[in-house]
Amino acid sequence: MRSFMPRRRAALTALAALLVGSVGSGAAAVAAGQTVTLLNVSYDPTRELYEDFNRAFAAHWKSHTGDTVVINQSHGGSGRQARAVIDGLAADVVTLALAFDVDALRKQRRLIPDGWQQRLPHASAPYTSTIVFLVRKGNPKQIRDWGDLTRRGVAVITPNPKTSGGARWNYLAAWAWAKNRPGGTDATAEAFVRALYANVPVLDSGARGATTTFVERGMGDVLLAWENEALLAMRELGRDRFEIVYPSLSILAEPPVAVVDRVVDRKGTRAVAEAYLRHLYSRDGQAIAAKHYYRPRDPEVAAKYARQFPALELVTIEAFGGWDRAQATHFADGGSFDRIYARR
Amino acid sequence: MSAVASDAVAPLEPAAPGEKDAPPQAARGGPGRRRRSAAPVMLVTLALAWLGVALVLPLVAVFAQAFAKGWDAYAAALTDPMALHAIRLTLTVAAIAVPLNLVFGVVAAWCVTKYDFPGKSALITLIDLPFAVSPVISGLVYVLLFGAQGWLGPWLLDRDVQIIFAVPGIVLATVFVTFPFVARELIPLMQAQGRDEEETALSLGASGWQTFRRVTLPNIRLGLLYGVLLCNARAMGEFGAVAVVSGHIRGLTNTMPLHVEILYNEYNATAAFAVASLLAMLALVTLVARSWLEARAPELRGERAAQS
């Protein structure tokens, strides 16, 4: 009984030493070499893409400057990630699902300047994607186009547009299809989207969560998904279990990237952060994007991967008057989604 | 929690009879025993079946999934640098949070049970607050305090101090959610023990510190260990509060539970369950240590009785 205290004290001392030791060694490693650390705050489905791209960029940067660059990754729902950066997550670059979420960094703390989207080609979106349907093998419910999603007995899996960038693209794609029907108006589009959401049994908070719900938990007949997410799920979980259906019309999803000025200026990482994003537009970066099922901008790379990306009619966010308008009309409090979901 | 607390107190009450629970049953005799024999068997079967479904099955599933692709895949998942970092971070956080709450728990329990002061019951209620609050709120509180738009955020930002989305934030959130464990174990125990022994020691000329070390501490050491054990298990397993303040930077701010979720979302179920198996083993060790402590309780009680 007497020995209890000394033993505990010894254990505590050892723990304290361990902690101090680990903190000390970390600081030394940073100070010793020419090592730069970047933090890329991204959205859910880009995990595999950036794992690959970070390796390629690190090699590129090493061969050009001799410096080592370590890129840390953070992934989550696009809106939530933007929120974290606004709350102080020190992102050197953000690579999010939609311009609205990046623009929040400008509005909230002026972390990025006006006109940020014009700093890089293609409105700062180095790759694009679209919204497709993932269905179970053999397409047992015969889902061919948006109109089939409102049929009785079809369960649709899509995440919550309040928190997920992908879900907002899904929502707008459905809206665009309905509005482009003969005689389509905003009213018929809203009625269609309401009927669609009546078939949604559960709203996950992010795109990856929705994919897991559909693919691993086996819920639903059709998943509205990023094309890249659908292709990845097919590769990871078996082509014999799922197939992709391309609807007659979808939306051109342009996930933008941006250097977070206030962070890079504080950390002194602007040069490497800008080079990192520019590298996404290089032949190398475009090929990596295509390999991970994002539609590349570079025509030559696109031609090489043409078989992977069937052509289909795509509307852009401009059809909705840009993201600010789309957000205010559809996803802000009291917007069309609230009307639809409250009266479900 | 209260069930656990009363477990710890209960052995102290029937101190004198001291024996196992067998004698009172045997004393009842034949017919009673036969009548009872069906009900206990059914109850035990039911309990075991429930245990099997609710506890053993998931546990087996964790290990089955973890080893689904063989030992090599399991070992590779655990020696992955990101996994190693998550393990190290979880150990670090627990190594800070548990001692802090150990000290706090002892001090709080000491104050509450050995002294009378106004606001005492309010303090006891406050200690329980983290149990009553959803872990997500526990995390958000720190975002509101230390976030870039929070109360202290701008001041910290100017000085380049990162609290949330870094290790300090994770430690703070963990300390908050594991706050009550030690105190909750000690308060009922110390209340049951009363103040007589301390008062005796003081009247015999012992100093406050001597009284604490020589009298109080030996009396509470089992409950203390018990509280530390539970505190540690929760500190290593906490998900909600930590998820809010972590920032999810892999290799920097991902603890083991967060890492499990990430791996699972990357369609890497084997690796996810490999890391989860470590957490499951932690739970098993906690359980074994717990029953070991409970088994030791009667001897310790005897020892204490002999001393006083």
Side-chain angles (χ1 to χ4, degrees):
Chain A
M1 187 189 292
R2 195 58 61 81
S3 63
F4 173 69
M5 269 310 281
R7 236 189 294 147
R8 172 158 292 275
R9 205 181 294 144
L12 285 181
T13 316
L15 280 175
L18 203 114
L19 288 178
V20 171
S22 68
V23 170
S25 67
V30 173
Q34 290 291 341
T35 301
V36 202
T37 308
L38 288 186
L39 174 59
N40 176 2
V41 172
S42 195
Y43 61 113
D44 259 330
T46 59
R47 298 159 196 261
E48 293 79 10
L49 162 65
Y50 279 109
E51 220 164 88
D52 227 6
F53 177 76
N54 290 349
R55 251 192 311 272
F57 177 73
H60 165 83
W61 190 250
K62 184 95 183 170
S63 70
H64 276 68
T65 64
D67 291 349
T68 305
V69 56
V70 177
I71 300 131
N72 292 312
Q73 283 296 135
S74 169
H75 296 274
S78 185
R80 197 183 77 183
Q81 292 291 82
R83 178 81 238 177
V85 174
I86 291 162
D87 280 333
L89 182 57
D92 299 273
V93 300
V94 290
T95 54
L96 297 177
L98 38 88
F100 183 81
D101 290 334
V102 179
D103 206 42
L105 308 187
R106 175 186 65 81
K107 288 181 201 145
Q108 291 264 5
R109 275 178 58 214
R110 299 212 56 85
L111 289 165
I112 53 176
D114 295 334
W116 62 269
Q117 213 165 355
Q118 274 69 61
R119 294 192 296 191
L120 287 166
H122 300 293
S124 287
Y127 40 76
T128 67
S129 192
T130 188
I131 300 302
V132 300
F133 305 162
L134 192 68
V135 297
R136 306 207 180 273
K137 189 73 191 177
N139 198 357
K141 296 268 169 117
Q142 292 298 309
I143 294 158
R144 303 270 172 242
D145 204 353
W146 290 100
D148 297 320
L149 302 183
T150 55
R151 279 207 320 255
R152 195 174 264 282
V154 171
V156 182
I157 304 295
T158 177
N160 186 347
K162 292 272 183 185
T163 53
S164 158
R168 273 174 263 177
W169 290 113
N170 294 349
Y171 186 99
L172 294 178
W175 190 286
W177 177 83
K179 205 178 163 183
N180 282 6
R181 305 284 295 164
T185 63
D186 278 328
T188 62
E190 183 166 333
F192 171 75
V193 175
R194 167 174 294 130
L196 193 160
Y197 274 82
N199 276 351
V200 176
V202 54
L203 287 177
D204 285 288
S205 69
R208 189 52 67 89
T211 310
T212 311
T213 297
F214 180 77
V215 159
E216 304 209 12
R217 289 167 56 204
M219 282 182 70
D221 302 304
V222 51
L223 171 75
L224 307 188
W226 295 98
E227 179 183 41
N228 54 281
E229 185 79 352
L231 285 164
L232 177 72
M234 294 254 289
R235 188 189 70 193
E236 292 290 321
L237 300 146
R239 292 175 195 286
D240 48 335
R241 290 174 55 201
F242 306 101
E243 51 190 73
I244 291 179
V245 172
Y246 281 88
S248 62
L249 177 145
S250 193
I251 193 161
L252 179 70
E254 298 172 286
V257 300
V259 164
V260 184
D261 298 70
R262 292 235 336 237
V263 173
V264 294
D265 289 342
R266 202 179 75 222
K267 286 174 63 184
T269 48
R270 179 178 283 280
V272 56
E274 284 177 347
Y276 178 76
L277 293 188
R278 271 199 312 275
H279 197 64
L280 282 169
Y281 290 88
S282 72
R283 192 62 53 82
D284 189 19
Q286 291 283 293
I288 292 173
K291 207 178 105 200
H292 289 277
Y293 311 119
Y294 289 85
R295 296 185 172 217
R297 296 283 197 181
D298 184 294
E300 276 180 44
V301 179
K304 213 181 127 201
Y305 283 87
R307 276 193 54 213
Q308 189 174 298
F309 303 116
L312 73 161
E313 192 187 344
L314 297 170
V315 300
T316 69
I317 191 65
E318 297 313 321
F320 294 86
W323 266 112
D324 280 334
R325 279 280 299 282
Q327 180 76 20
T329 313
H330 298 291
F331 308 120
D333 287 341
S336 72
F337 176 71
D338 277 355
R339 282 201 302 277
I340 282 167
Y341 216 68
R343 262 202 259 147
R344 216 161 75 112
Chain B
M1 240 27 266
S2 58
V4 169
S6 62
D7 274 1
V9 180
L12 297 169
E13 311 283 13
E19 286 300 312
K20 300 269 157 58
D21 42 351
Q25 284 174 7
R28 280 208 202 156
R33 195 190 286 165
R34 201 179 307 138
R35 188 148 39 87
R36 275 203 334 270
S37 62
V41 169
M42 263 178 61
L43 279 175
V44 167
T45 317
L46 209 74
L48 283 181
W50 173 243
L51 256 169
V53 173
L55 283 177
V56 180
L57 209 64
L59 204 64
V60 170
V62 167
F63 285 95
Q65 276 277 7
F67 287 101
K69 290 187 185 158
W71 172 258
D72 287 345
Y74 181 81
L78 292 186
T79 50
D80 174 82
M82 295 296 168
L84 283 178
H85 184 275
I87 294 168
R88 203 157 53 228
L89 178 61
T90 293
L91 292 176
T92 308
V93 169
I96 301 170
V98 174
L100 278 178
N101 279 334
L102 170 88
V103 171
F104 163 79
V106 171
V107 170
W110 172 271
C111 285
V112 164
T113 56
K114 308 292 177 190
Y115 298 97
D116 292 312
F117 54 91
K120 190 164 116 170
S121 55
L123 179 65
I124 298 180
T125 314
L126 262 181
I127 291 172
D128 271 347
L129 185 71
F131 280 163
V133 165
S134 159
V136 176
I137 309 295
S138 316
L140 278 179
V141 166
Y142 290 104
V143 175
L144 291 179
L145 275 178
F146 300 116
Q149 292 180 310
W151 290 0
L152 303 173
W155 187 86
L156 291 168
L157 209 61
D158 288 345
R159 280 147 193 83
D160 229 348
V161 179
Q162 188 90 30
I163 303 272
I164 54 165
F165 308 124
V167 177
I170 298 174
V171 171
L172 281 173
T174 307
V175 166
F176 185 81
V177 292
T178 58
F179 207 55
F181 281 95
V182 174
R184 282 318 294 169
E185 285 310 314
L186 292 184
I187 289 171
L189 183 65
M190 288 166 81
Q191 261 164 355
Q193 287 168 352
R195 305 174 188 175
D196 297 352
E197 293 185 22
E198 277 83 4
E199 278 163 6
T200 312
L202 288 172
S203 69
L204 291 175
S207 71
W209 174 240
Q210 279 174 324
T211 311
F212 175 74
R213 256 200 55 192
R214 300 271 177 86
V215 179
T216 310
L217 200 57
N219 280 344
I220 62 169
R221 63 178 250 208
L222 260 179
L224 192 61
L225 260 176
Y226 205 103
V228 165
L229 211 63
L230 294 177
C231 181
N232 183 58
R234 177 68 188 269
M236 291 190 176
E238 175 57 24
F239 181 85
V242 170
V244 175
V245 296
S246 138
H248 305 273
I249 311 169
R250 34 190 71 197
L252 284 182
T253 63
N254 267 332
T255 60
M256 279 165 76
L258 299 184
H259 193 61
V260 171
E261 194 210 17
I262 283 185
L263 290 171
Y264 183 74
N265 279 339
E266 284 174 357
Y267 306 116
N268 197 346
T270 307
F273 281 101
V275 179
S277 76
L278 292 184
L279 288 168
M281 278 190 266
L282 167 75
L284 288 177
V285 168
T286 307
L287 275 179
V288 169
R290 194 188 136 161
S291 40
W292 178 81
L293 275 175
E294 276 165 3
R296 268 183 66 127
E299 291 135 50
L300 280 156
R301 218 187 319 130
E303 208 176 335
R304 193 168 62 86
Q307 261 182 1
S308 60

